[in-house]
Amino acid sequence: MHAASRDALAKCREKLQGTLGAKSDGGATGAKLGGELFQVAEVLEGDRALRVAVADSSAPASTRQDLARSVFGWKIDDSTLDVLLDAVGHTWSNPRDLRDSLVDLSRLSLLASAAAQGQLPAVEDELFRLGRIIAGNPELEQALADRQAPTKAKRALLGELVYGKVLAVTEALASQVIARPENRPADDLDALSQMAAELQGTAVADVTSANELSSEQVESLKARLGKIYGRSMTVHMNIDPKIMGGLVIRVATR
C-alpha cells in the first residue's frame, strides 16, 4: 500500500474508533458495521466500474460521496454509511486499496464488538484453533480456499465445522476469510488472531511441543517470553510427537 492509501486508512481507522467509541450498546454497532462494511467491499469487488468511480481522485470528494450514498445509502445503517462516506472522501493510491481497507475496517469493527462483550481473548483463541484445524486437513483447506467454488457452498462447509462451537464474531470473521481468501485460509485466520492479540496489547507465541505442557509451565513460558520481547504474551500450544524434545517457538511480528 502506497503512502496516500496508508494515510487514508489511518484516518479511516480514527473515524471508525470515534464512531464506535460514541456508542455504548454492548458491541451491537461494531457487529453491524463489521457485517455491512464487508458487504460493501464485496459489491465493490464485483463491480469494477463502481470501484473505480468511488476511488477516482480526479473527481471531487463530494461527487464520490454522492455516488456512494446513492448506491449504498438505503442498504446500510447510518453509522456504516458515515464511515463509508468518510473513506470514499479520502485519496487512495488505487481503487483496490479502498476495497481492501473497507475489509480491514470491517474486521476491526467485529473485533471491537467482541471487546465490548468481553470476548476478545476467546475470539483470538478460537481463530487460532480454527486455523490449526483447517491447516491439519488439506482436503478441507483446499475446498475452502477454492476461489472458483461458490461462496455459499464454502460458507455452508464452514458452518458444519463451527456451528455451535465458536462465538458469533469468530464465525463472522471466518466467514469473511472463506468468502474472500487473501492467502491460505489458515494463514488468514492466523493473521486475524494476531490482530485480536494486538488490540489487547499482547504478542502471540506459537509454541510446538512433543507433549502437553502443564498450566504452570505455560504460565512460566509466557513470563519468560514477555521479558524477552517486552510485551504481554499469548501462547498458543500445538502438540507434535514428531519433535524429539524441547520447544519450537514462533513469535508473530507485524
Side-chain angles (χ1 to χ4, degrees), residues 31-251:
K32 193 169 190 63
L33 266 166
E36 290 183 342
L37 285 173
F38 189 76
Q39 290 172 7
V40 171
E42 287 287 86
V43 172
L44 295 181
E45 177 68 20
D47 190 332
R48 184 179 183 279
L50 178 61
R51 184 171 70 246
V52 170
V54 296
D56 182 5
S57 59
S58 67
S62 59
T63 300
R64 304 196 303 269
Q65 290 171 328
D66 286 344
L67 174 59
R69 185 183 290 107
S70 68
V71 174
F72 298 108
W74 58 281
K75 299 179 180 178
I76 58 180
D77 185 78
D78 287 346
S79 294
T80 309
L81 180 62
D82 194 32
V83 172
L84 173 62
L85 295 181
D86 176 72
V88 170
H90 293 302
T91 300
W92 299 90
S93 303
N94 58 70
R96 174 68 61 179
D97 285 350
L98 170 58
R99 182 266 169 195
D100 290 346
S101 293
L102 290 175
V103 173
D104 179 87
L105 296 174
S106 166
R107 292 172 175 176
L108 286 173
S109 297
L110 288 168
L111 290 172
S113 173
Q117 300 172 74
Q119 297 176 341
L120 194 53
V123 169
E124 178 218 324
D125 186 65
E126 288 177 351
L127 288 167
F128 172 79
R129 299 296 170 191
L130 182 57
R132 298 282 64 75
I133 290 171
I134 293 174
N137 188 329
E139 197 171 297
L140 172 63
E141 182 166 42
Q142 184 175 3
L144 294 175
D146 186 357
R147 294 177 181 268
Q148 305 304 315
T151 298
K152 185 177 180 179
K154 293 195 293 183
R155 281 178 166 159
L157 181 58
L158 175 70
E160 293 177 6
L161 180 64
V162 303
Y163 180 73
K165 300 176 183 176
V166 299
L167 295 167
V169 171
T170 303
E171 185 169 0
L173 288 166
S175 181
Q176 287 189 9
V177 164
I178 299 311
R180 188 64 58 183
E182 298 172 7
N183 303 290
R184 294 171 56 232
D187 292 339
D188 288 343
L189 289 166
D190 281 351
L192 283 173
S193 179
Q194 292 170 26
M195 183 183 292
E198 289 175 357
L199 289 176
Q200 300 173 78
T202 64
V204 176
D206 190 356
V207 179
T208 302
S209 172
N211 302 294
E212 188 170 354
L213 301 185
S214 68
S215 58
E216 291 80 8
Q217 288 174 315
V218 172
E219 289 303 315
S220 175
L221 179 61
K222 286 171 61 175
R224 281 183 285 167
L225 290 173
K227 288 182 179 179
I228 293 172
Y229 289 94
R231 296 181 65 184
S232 297
M233 301 295 299
T234 295
V235 172
H236 290 154
M237 292 298 308
N238 303 287
I239 305 302
D240 184 357
K242 292 193 295 294
I243 68 173
M244 299 304 294
L247 301 173
V248 178
I249 300 174
R250 294 187 298 119
V251 176

